[in-house]
Amino acid sequence: MNPKLTFLLAVLVAALIASPASALRCSGKVIDRGMTSSEVIENCGTPTWVDERQEERFSRNCRDPFFDTYPDDDRGYDEHYYIYRGKRYTGCKKIVTIEEWFYNFGSSRLTQTLIFENSRLVHIRQGGYGY
């Protein structure tokens, strides 16, 4: 087999096997965006601390994928009216519960902050080494 082709094949296989940069490993399982908070607790245990807040989000288009990320979510949205340049328009408003979970796995691993919106994991941030 051609050495260049062998090298290219090895790089391709390594890229397919590697977990995404936004993923976290707990107990041998990959924690990735879209998972529920109960799935994360099942694999990673309880976090070191949790911060919770709520915010209102508005959109002119109720079917906007950035506004309605998980359409099967029980928490729907309410229609609201707003006035722009003298005309009345209909839009959507929903309240999103945001939770930030901080995991400290000790001094040999990086700390992780997991951000959930309505109990769905949307972002993973890595910090420095734990304590």
Side-chain angles (χ1 to χ4, degrees):
M1 194 184 233
N2 186 351
K4 288 183 181 179
L5 183 60
T6 304
F7 176 75
L8 183 62
L9 187 61
V11 169
L12 180 63
V13 168
L16 291 174
I17 293 174
S19 62
S22 64
L24 161 69
R25 284 195 176 271
C26 287
S27 304
K29 303 245 169 112
V30 175
I31 307 301
D32 203 3
R33 294 185 315 205
M35 294 180 80
T36 63
S37 57
S38 59
E39 292 173 326
V40 174
I41 285 181
E42 182 180 316
N43 293 313
C44 296
T46 55
T48 307
W49 61 259
V50 176
D51 183 32
E52 183 176 330
R53 66 185 185 279
Q54 289 187 337
E55 70 179 40
E56 284 186 333
R57 294 198 180 153
F58 299 93
S59 176
R60 292 188 341 213
N61 180 3
C62 298
R63 296 190 177 148
D64 183 4
F66 294 109
F67 178 73
D68 198 15
T69 312
Y70 297 102
D72 59 335
D73 195 3
D74 333 1
R75 300 177 195 194
Y77 47 82
D78 297 326
E79 285 191 6
H80 75 97
Y81 300 98
Y82 61 96
I83 297 178
Y84 178 70
R85 293 189 179 183
K87 291 186 180 178
R88 183 177 169 166
Y89 294 93
T90 304
C92 292
K93 172 182 86 169
K94 76 176 180 178
I95 296 176
V96 178
T97 302
I98 299 172
E99 295 180 40
E100 290 189 32
W101 293 10
F102 178 77
Y103 280 97
N104 180 10
F105 296 112
S107 59
S108 62
R109 289 185 61 188
L110 297 172
T111 59
Q112 305 284 336
T113 304
L114 281 62
I115 300 171
F116 293 87
E117 292 184 0
N118 290 340
S119 299
R120 289 277 185 173
L121 182 60
V122 294
H123 190 66
I124 300 174
R125 271 193 312 233
Q126 285 186 343
Y129 282 98
Y131 46 88

